[in-house]
């Protein structure tokens, strides 16, 4: 109290008391009450647990399994109590404007709604309103809380979609129940996955321009040369079924039990992967794979380019692919200054098969010739290789045709073959980068025995897997969540 004037001293006790306002007293009381409720719930839970674990000296597993089994009773009820505390005012709301006509509507009742979340079942008490002229019922607290329309809330849906993107639906169903304590049927998982991925395009799954710039800057740090950005383009075969197999009610058990009337078909999922070369390491930037036409693939690549996701001025861009003409045609249009590399492995395969036709399969001469030819290509002597090919005397017409074809192939790709120089400059010689993406993104999930995918569904799955691989899954899920929330708002407003 030193330094206070007599007047202040006199007033101090009064002032100190006035610091706590009536509102604050009420709030503190409420808080204490809420805490008391929470503790009460915990006590009840402990009682139930003690009832369950009769042993006085249970093993750790006996204890953990009992706690695990009942964990959601506790976390769910705690969450409900916390909600009650935060939304006391909203729960007491007496009137609300009708979202359709704007009339003020009096509350009908407080309706309790049970929702399922990762922390268990949560009971939400919320005032329910009903506008008689509009015949429209609504609960404004649902929107405030960001509740999903059904019982299963977004946290559960997010976990489920992540799981189905990795493992077959049936496995996902099992794991989901085991890990979350909540049930979602395979049909529901299937629908959810396709809904989350619906309309997802390359820019939805791609990292942002600044995220990519950051990756490039990290790799570029402390180097004299701009980092190499590899754009690899390729196709992977995935098993599909025709849309006509859809019948009246796809996925129904009765339908499944019947023998398939349709013929499965392997189709090419065309895709690209962009990555940085950091010494011996690959720094993944983005992948996009879909069952799509050449035009669609390059349209996606154009979008990526236009969005500034391939900053050509900051990198040394190189494109690696096999000999497919559609690829190189598109690349020339889109990235005319990029360094082009014909995948070394594909090239050597080509040379191998000609050697077998000419010298005979497994012949020592065939292997020697392949080795010598690849060495010459490595040294940049493609003209010499062509010259040599022209001087071979094939024994059969088949071999002659194959040799002619190889000459055409080497001529068409002559500027993409200078492997030795490419390697010296740090460029990759092969499309191993995209082949591993094909494996991880396409094959790992789509190629399962007995699984034949509708094209639309396989593209949904591929989009989600690209998102996971690109580190943008959360963003893609949030996009879905926002769409659902906006839709339910509209449903409320629109007649
Ligand atoms: Zn109304």
């Amino acid at each position: 109290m030193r330094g206070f004037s007599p007047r202040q001293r006199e007033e101090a006790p009064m002032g100190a008391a006035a610091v706590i306002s009536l509102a604050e007293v009420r709030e503190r009381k409420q808080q204490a009450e809420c805490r008391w409720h929470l503790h009460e719930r915990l006590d009840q839970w402990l009682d139930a647990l003690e009832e369950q674990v009769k042993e006085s000296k249970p093993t750790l597993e006996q204890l953990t399994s009992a706690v695990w089994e009942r964990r959601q009773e506790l976390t769910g009820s705690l969450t409900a109590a916390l909600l009650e505390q935060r939304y006391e005012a909203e729960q007491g709301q007496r009137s609300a404007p009708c979202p359709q006509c704007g009339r003020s509507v009096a509350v009908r009742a407080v309706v309790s709604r049970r929702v399922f979340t990762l922390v268990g079942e949560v009971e939400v008490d919320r005032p329910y309103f009903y506008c008689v002229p509009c015949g429209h019922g609504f609960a404004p607290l649902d929107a405030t809380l960001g509740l999903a329309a059904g019982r299963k809330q977004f946290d559960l849906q997010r976990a489920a979609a992540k799981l189905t993107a990795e493992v077959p639906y049936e496995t996902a169903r099992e794991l989901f129940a085991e890990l979350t304590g909540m049930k979602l049927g395979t049909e529901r998982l299937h629908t959810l996955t396709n809904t989350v991925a619906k309309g997802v395009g390359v820019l939805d799954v791609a990292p942002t321009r600044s995220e990519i710039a950051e990756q490039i800057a990290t790799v570029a740090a402390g180097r004299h040369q701009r980092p190499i950005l590899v754009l690899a383009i390729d196709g992977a075969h995935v098993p599909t079924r025709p849309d006509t197999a859809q019948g009246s009610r796809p996925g129904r058990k009765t339908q499944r039990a019947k023998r398939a009337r349709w013929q499965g078909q392997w189709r090419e999922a065309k895709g690209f992967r962009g990555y940085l070369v950091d010494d011996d390491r690959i720094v993944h930037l983005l992948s996009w794979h879909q069952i799509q036409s050449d035009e669609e693939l390059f349209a996606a690549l154009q979008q990526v380019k236009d969005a500034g996701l391939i900053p050509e001025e900051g990198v040394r861009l190189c494109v690696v692919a096999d000999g497919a003409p559609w690829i190189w045609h598109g690349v020339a249009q889109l990235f005319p200054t990029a360094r082009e590399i014909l995948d070394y492995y594909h090239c050597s395969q080509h040379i191998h098969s000609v050697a077998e036709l000419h010298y005979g399969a497994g012949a020592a001469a065939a292997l020697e010739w392949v080795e010598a030819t690849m060495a010459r290509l490595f040294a940049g002597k493609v003209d010499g290789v062509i010259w040599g090919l022209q001087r071979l005397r094939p024994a059969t017409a088949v071999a002659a045709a194959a040799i002619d074809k190889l000459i055409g192939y080497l001529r068409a790709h002559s500027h993409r073959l200078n492997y030795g120089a490419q390697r010296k400059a740090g460029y990759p010689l092969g499309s191993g980068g995209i082949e591993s993406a094909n494996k991880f993104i396409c094959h790992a999930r789509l190629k399962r025995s007995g699984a034949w995918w509708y094209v639309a569904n396989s593209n949904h799955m591929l989009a989600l897997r690209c998102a996971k691989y690109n580190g943008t899954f959360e963003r893609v899920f949030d996009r879905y969540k926002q769409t659902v929330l906006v839709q339910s708002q509209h449903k409320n407003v629109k007649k």
Side-chain angles (χ1 to χ4, degrees), residues 171-300:
T171 315
R173 183 192 64 72
E174 273 174 37
L175 287 175
F176 187 78
E178 213 167 284
L179 297 173
T180 68
M182 291 288 160
K183 283 181 180 152
L184 273 178
T186 48
E187 286 289 299
R188 181 84 174 82
L189 288 170
H190 192 265
T191 312
L192 172 71
T193 308
N194 284 302
T195 316
V196 171
K198 197 175 172 192
V200 167
V202 64
L203 293 185
D204 296 309
V205 306
T208 62
R209 187 182 178 152
S210 61
E211 283 165 345
I212 286 182
E214 206 175 297
Q215 299 261 47
I216 292 173
T218 308
V219 173
R223 286 169 204 249
H224 303 300
Q225 272 187 307
R226 289 171 295 163
I228 293 171
L229 193 159
V230 181
L231 185 63
I233 305 170
D234 199 4
H237 283 93
V238 295
T240 68
R241 62 170 83 186
D243 284 339
T244 50
Q246 212 136 9
S248 49
R249 310 291 288 271
R252 278 273 168 117
K253 275 209 173 83
T254 49
Q255 193 86 7
R256 273 197 198 138
K258 275 189 205 162
R259 237 187 120 161
R261 291 233 174 112
W262 42 267
Q263 185 85 48
Q265 192 189 354
W266 288 88
R267 292 185 57 174
E268 203 177 21
K270 294 190 169 89
F272 56 84
R273 180 185 187 192
Y275 59 90
L276 298 167
V277 178
D278 186 12
D279 292 330
D280 294 334
R281 213 165 59 97
I282 274 181
V283 178
H284 177 75
L285 295 178
L286 79 152
S287 267
W288 179 243
H289 299 255
Q290 294 276 281
I291 295 177
Q292 58 188 342
S293 67
D294 318 349
E295 290 80 12
E296 284 166 325
L297 178 130
F298 278 103

Side-chain angles (χ1 to χ4, degrees), residues 403-477:
I403 288 167
D404 274 351
K405 209 174 148 203
L406 179 59
I407 290 171
Y409 175 85
L410 293 175
R411 277 204 177 118
H413 297 293
S414 59
H415 60 296
R416 303 180 181 124
L417 297 171
N418 205 354
Y419 296 119
Q422 315 275 33
R423 173 168 287 175
K424 219 171 161 195
Y427 290 95
L429 304 188
S431 52
I434 188 137
E435 267 148 29
S436 73
N438 276 337
K439 204 151 101 193
F440 282 115
I441 292 172
C442 307
H443 292 157
R445 179 68 182 86
L446 294 178
K447 261 169 105 171
R448 298 271 178 170
S449 74
W452 296 90
W453 297 72
Y454 291 117
V455 171
N457 293 351
S458 69
N459 279 345
H460 288 153
M461 183 54 79
L462 287 172
L464 285 190
R465 291 185 61 77
C466 288
K468 285 195 85 172
Y469 212 41
N470 297 347
T472 55
F473 184 87
E474 298 298 324
R475 212 174 289 162
V476 167
F477 187 86

Side-chain angles (χ1 to χ4, degrees), residues 98 100-103 131 133-134:
C98 166
Q100 296 194 350
C101 69
R103 278 189 198 90
C131 175
C134 293

Side-chain angles (χ1 to χ4, degrees), residues 39-217:
H39 290 150
E40 200 182 28
R41 287 186 195 223
L42 177 61
D43 279 339
Q44 286 168 0
W45 185 82
L46 285 170
D47 286 345
L49 193 77
E50 271 161 26
E51 191 66 31
Q52 192 175 337
V53 186
K54 299 273 194 220
E55 298 82 355
S56 64
K57 304 283 178 200
T59 63
L60 176 63
E61 204 186 351
Q62 280 171 326
L63 256 185
T64 53
S65 75
V67 171
W68 179 255
E69 212 176 284
R70 295 186 163 267
R71 70 200 190 277
Q72 290 183 330
E73 288 169 21
L74 180 67
T75 50
S77 75
L78 290 187
T79 308
L82 288 170
L83 274 179
E84 234 167 78
Q85 182 196 4
R86 300 288 173 113
Y87 288 95
E88 210 192 359
E90 288 80 355
Q91 282 170 339
Q93 194 178 351
R94 307 302 305 161
S95 66
C98 166
Q100 296 194 350
C101 69
R103 278 189 198 90
S104 178
V105 184
V107 68
R108 280 253 159 156
V110 172
V111 178
S112 147
R113 183 177 161 193
R114 248 161 213 265
V115 293
F116 296 121
T117 72
L118 277 176
V119 300
E121 260 183 73
V122 179
E123 208 163 305
V124 187
D125 289 336
R126 74 268 203 268
Y128 179 77
F129 301 85
Y130 189 82
C131 175
V132 179
C134 293
H136 177 67
F138 58 99
L141 194 49
D142 286 2
T144 313
L145 291 174
L147 294 190
R151 288 197 160 197
K152 306 290 182 351
Q153 294 306 299
F154 290 115
D155 58 346
L156 279 180
Q157 296 184 26
R158 189 189 298 266
K162 248 186 198 169
L163 206 51
T164 60
E166 291 295 345
V167 294
Y169 287 112
E170 186 51 34
T171 315
R173 183 192 64 72
E174 273 174 37
L175 287 175
F176 187 78
E178 213 167 284
L179 297 173
T180 68
M182 291 288 160
K183 283 181 180 152
L184 273 178
T186 48
E187 286 289 299
R188 181 84 174 82
L189 288 170
H190 192 265
T191 312
L192 172 71
T193 308
N194 284 302
T195 316
V196 171
K198 197 175 172 192
V200 167
V202 64
L203 293 185
D204 296 309
V205 306
T208 62
R209 187 182 178 152
S210 61
E211 283 165 345
I212 286 182
E214 206 175 297
Q215 299 261 47
I216 292 173

